[in-house]
Amino acid sequence: RLLAHLVQIGQRSPQEDHGEHATGAHHVPRREPITALVAVPAEAEEERPLDDAHDVEEADAPAEDVPGVEIAAACDPEEAAARTVEGLGIPCPRDWREALRVPSEAVFICTPNAFHAPLALEALRLGRHVFCEKPLAASVEDARAMVEASLESAGTLTVGANLRHFPNVAEALRLNAEEAIGPALFCRAWIGHNGWNRTVPWYRRRPISGGGTLLDNGSHAFDLVRLFMGEIVHCTGFTDPPGGGGGEDPVEENAVGIFRDREGRLATVQSSWNEWAGYFEFAAYGTRGYLKLACRESACTLERGGLDGRTELRDYSRLPSRSVEAEVAAYARGLMEGRRAGPGGYDGLRCVRMAFGVYESSRSGAAVPLWGPGDEDLRRRMEDHCRDSSASPGSTATSTRAADPSA
């Protein structure tokens, strides 16, 4: 869907970019191409059903207007897919190394999880900005290597989190930023779907996927938990099968994690590929009230309650959900304006760490620490990096290292 959306952007005519569709929008003069795409390896080119009702709307929705963006290249080793892209007038080398040699400012990595790290490491070495789909990597080690590389690169590392752009989630995050419910006391989340991806072979191959539903769907829930509670330092949990499989064994289809932050506050996350009426529910309870978010089949709502018992229900079900389009548009605008748009690589690393903490706990039967001296050191270096970046001269994405919001 990212590829389809960016193709729509790239195929816009100059009249569309400067005409009525751009009325009232912040105009950025067209420069060099700012987007390169790395698509998926041949074995992963499998058609899948849509996630939920919101995906149906996303797939049919028109791309949001982003003047100044064009496709520099795409990459897909599968001949039929590559020819389709070339038919749109977009260069599509079959080898990703050749694609990265095409002049560009940013790279979208939308491959199976195990390929995220090698592609990102090379793109960052070349000084490109990298948008990597979630989860950031198929292992904690690969995710950390990507973050380390971003500290040495002129490019930035961003991880996909389109759930932040669901209308009810976006409003909940705005309310949280205003401290509408006060400091969080606890959070609970469940997320999942009916297991459509069980028909896509790489999702169930642990060496390629890294894990099952907890790494796949749970990444969204982990992101929300951290946004409301801050850093997570401890976990315990269970998966089915235990430990999320292992080797060539099937990855987990169900998982539950209990997490604790620095202050001892608790959060629970349940993730499933057997959730027949997906997709997610999330609740945050604070000192002055609560927020409950739900996306169940075609429903999309946000409930806000206070200590006085009063409640307010906001229903977004009739609004077309264009979370993927909104995410890509925000990222592109951020690059053109020299600022971060979306969670940074560090956020992606911490979410991967939460998933693998539950895997470890399920195998060992013991609680698992998620924070240690190495994590503190990386956090400190991220803060130093962001401080230096914010003081750098220039305002364009090509000359400024955008600050990582998690720091």
Side-chain angles (χ1 to χ4, degrees):
R1 287 180 290 153
L2 281 170
L3 174 60
H5 170 59
L6 283 162
V7 165
Q8 285 178 293
I9 294 174
Q11 295 303 302
R12 279 201 176 88
S13 67
Q15 289 77 14
E16 286 178 302
D17 278 346
H18 300 289
E20 61 178 356
H21 296 288
T23 301
H26 174 66
H27 172 63
V28 179
R30 184 175 295 277
R31 304 174 298 163
E32 295 300 313
I34 74 157
T35 305
L37 283 169
V38 179
V40 294
E43 68 169 288
E45 278 294 311
E46 306 249 359
E47 185 175 353
R48 68 163 180 84
L50 296 167
D51 280 357
D52 52 32
H54 296 284
D55 275 354
V56 174
E57 294 170 327
E58 288 171 356
D60 295 335
E64 198 167 332
D65 190 21
V66 188
V69 178
E70 64 180 275
I71 307 298
C75 178
D76 199 308
E78 187 173 271
E79 191 63 28
R83 285 199 300 270
T84 298
V85 174
E86 289 172 335
L88 298 171
I90 300 170
C92 190
R94 279 49 166 180
D95 188 295
W96 62 271
R97 297 170 186 82
E98 183 180 349
L100 287 179
R101 287 196 289 269
V102 177
S104 66
E105 291 176 285
V107 176
F108 275 75
I109 298 177
C110 314
T111 70
N113 306 339
F115 303 107
H116 290 181
L119 296 172
L121 292 174
E122 179 61 15
L124 289 167
R125 186 187 69 81
L126 295 171
R128 308 290 175 77
H129 298 290
V130 174
F131 179 103
C132 183
E133 263 297 355
K134 63 83 189 165
L136 185 63
S139 70
V140 175
E141 294 76 17
D142 279 354
R144 186 177 181 109
M146 293 165 69
V147 173
E148 294 278 4
S150 71
L151 296 178
E152 303 299 324
S153 175
T156 57
L157 177 61
T158 300
V159 65
N162 71 293
L163 198 70
R164 293 189 183 193
H165 295 273
F166 277 41
N168 56 345
V169 176
E171 177 63 11
L173 295 179
R174 186 189 68 80
L175 291 171
N176 183 53
E178 296 176 353
E179 300 184 346
I181 62 170
L185 298 173
F186 70 89
C187 293
R188 63 171 178 255
W190 69 251
I191 190 166
H193 52 62
N194 62 4
W196 60 260
N197 53 2
R198 282 177 289 195
T199 64
V200 182
W202 73 263
Y203 272 98
R204 302 189 62 78
R205 293 179 56 197
R206 191 168 182 80
I208 304 298
S209 66
T213 181
L214 196 62
L215 193 60
D216 176 30
N217 311 115
S219 293
H220 287 303
F222 299 151
D223 184 50
L224 288 180
V225 166
R226 293 183 68 250
L227 286 170
F228 276 85
M229 296 182 62
E231 202 55 80
I232 299 299
V233 300
H234 214 265
C235 82
T236 186
F238 297 93
T239 66
D240 180 18
E248 293 295 329
D249 295 334
V251 296
E252 82 282 357
E253 294 194 1
N254 292 282
V256 177
I258 303 175
F259 302 90
R260 193 173 70 216
D261 72 359
R262 293 175 181 271
E263 299 177 20
R265 299 175 300 182
L266 298 175
T268 59
V269 174
Q270 180 177 355
S271 189
S272 176
W273 283 346
N274 303 128
E275 177 48 62
W276 313 128
Y279 177 55
F280 85 95
E281 287 186 354
F282 177 84
Y285 282 74
T287 58
R288 295 198 296 271
Y290 68 84
L291 296 171
K292 289 183 179 179
L293 298 82
C295 281
R296 299 296 304 270
E297 297 183 323
S298 61
C300 180
T301 60
L302 168 62
E303 180 183 331
R304 177 183 178 183
L307 300 184
D308 58 2
R310 296 182 180 180
T311 62
E312 175 190 0
L313 182 65
R314 304 182 184 186
D315 191 342
Y316 302 90
S317 303
R318 294 185 178 275
L319 293 180
S321 176
R322 299 173 179 173
S323 62
V324 174
E325 286 87 344
E327 178 180 46
V328 174
Y331 178 73
R333 288 196 182 98
L335 288 186
M336 289 186 284
E337 296 169 8
R339 57 176 174 79
R340 166 78 69 190
Y346 180 83
D347 299 295
L349 165 62
R350 294 306 299 171
C351 290
V352 171
R353 185 71 184 91
M354 290 171 72
F356 278 85
V358 173
Y359 295 159
E360 183 181 344
S361 176
S362 185
R363 287 191 297 268
S364 67
V368 174
L370 301 179
W371 193 263
D375 300 293
E376 193 65 52
D377 174 69
L378 180 59
R379 177 87 177 205
R380 178 186 55 78
R381 288 188 288 122
M382 285 295 305
E383 291 174 347
D384 292 343
H385 173 72
C386 293
R387 192 177 302 113
D388 294 342
S389 299
S390 62
S392 298
S395 59
T396 65
T398 51
S399 64
T400 301
R401 295 182 180 181
D404 190 305
S406 67

